[in-house]
C-alpha cells in the first residue's frame, strides 16, 4: 500500500474549491496522470456519483471507476477501483490559517492487488513524483478560480 499526501494553500475560498474538486471530471485539468475522466451518471454531483478515469502512470495506461463516497463542508472522498488497484483519495479543504484562501490536504492511498503488489516499492517513488506534480497543477488551476 502506498500513501501520498500533500498540504498546500490556494487563493479561492473553501466553498469555491470544494465545488470545483467534487466534480472528479475536472481531474483532467489538475491530475498530470489523467488522460480522461468521464462522468457515468447524470444530475447534480453528489455522494454516489461515478466517473470512468483513464490514466497513464509510468507509461502504463490504467482505467478505474471512481465513486464519490463522501461530500461534506470540508471533505471529499473519492474511491477508485479496478481488478488490480484501489485508490482512496481524500481531499480536505479548510480556511487558510495564513490569510484569505484555502488550505488543502490531498491524501491518496493506493492499494495494489494480486500480482501487482510486487510493484509497491517502485510505485511509491512514482506516486510521490506524481503527488508533487498534482500539487503544482492543482494550485495553478484553483488559483485561476480566484481571479
Amino acid at each position: 500500500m502506498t500513501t501520498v499526501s500533500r498540504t498546500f494553500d490556494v487563493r479561492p475560498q473553501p466553498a469555491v474549491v470544494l465545488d470545483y474538486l467534487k466534480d472528479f471530471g475536472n481531474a483532467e485539468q489538475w491530475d498530470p496522470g489523467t488522460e480522461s475522466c468521464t462522468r457515468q451518471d447524470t444530475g447534480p454531483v453528489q455522494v454516489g456519483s461515478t466517473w470512468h478515469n483513464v490514466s497513464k502512470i509510468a507509461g502504463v495506461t490504467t482505467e478505474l471507476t471512481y465513486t464519490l463516497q463522501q461530500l461534506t463542508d470540508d471533505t471529499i472522498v473519492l474511491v477508485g477501483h479496478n481488478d488490480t488497484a484501489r485508490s482512496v483519495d481524500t481531499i480536505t479543504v479548510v480556511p487558510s490559517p495564513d490569510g484569505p484562501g484555502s488550505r488543502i490536504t490531498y491524501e491518496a492511498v493506493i492499494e495494489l492487488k494480486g500480482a501487482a503488489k510486487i510493484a509497491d516499492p517502485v510505485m511509491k517513488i512514482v506516486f510521490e513524483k506524481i503527488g508533487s506534480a498534482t500539487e503544482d497543477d492543482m494550485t495553478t488551476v484553483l488559483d485561476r478560480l480566484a481571479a
Side-chain angles (χ1 to χ4, degrees):
M1 186 174 338
T2 297
T3 300
V4 177
S5 183
R6 298 287 186 278
T7 298
F8 53 98
D9 292 337
V10 296
R11 290 195 306 257
Q13 294 297 310
V16 172
V17 172
L18 286 160
D19 190 56
Y20 176 81
L21 293 178
K22 74 180 180 185
D23 183 348
F24 198 55
N26 290 324
E28 293 175 8
Q29 298 172 22
W30 54 261
D31 180 359
T34 294
E35 294 185 333
S36 67
C37 195
T38 308
R39 180 112 180 256
Q40 295 183 304
D41 59 313
T42 59
V45 173
Q46 59 190 359
V47 170
S49 293
T50 58
W51 293 263
H52 178 77
N53 181 281
V54 179
S55 295
K56 186 175 262 186
I57 299 168
V60 177
T61 299
T62 187
E63 299 183 32
L64 288 96
T65 299
Y66 277 87
T67 303
L68 181 59
Q69 293 285 339
Q70 180 183 341
L71 178 61
T72 68
D73 290 341
D74 65 0
T75 305
I76 298 165
V77 178
L78 292 146
V79 178
H81 64 88
N82 64 17
D83 291 341
T84 60
R86 180 175 191 266
S87 179
V88 178
D89 295 29
T90 303
I91 305 167
T92 305
V93 183
V94 296
S96 175
D98 300 326
S102 303
R103 175 152 295 166
I104 298 172
T105 299
Y106 191 124
E107 179 183 75
V109 179
I110 303 102
E111 179 182 1
L112 300 178
K113 301 177 189 176
K117 282 184 180 183
I118 199 163
D120 260 343
V122 172
M123 294 312 292
K124 173 69 172 170
I125 296 166
V126 170
F127 283 117
E128 283 293 339
K129 183 176 179 182
I130 291 170
S132 295
T134 298
E135 177 183 345
D136 292 344
D137 291 353
M138 188 182 284
T139 298
T140 298
V141 168
L142 289 171
D143 280 349
R144 284 189 208 133
L145 298 177

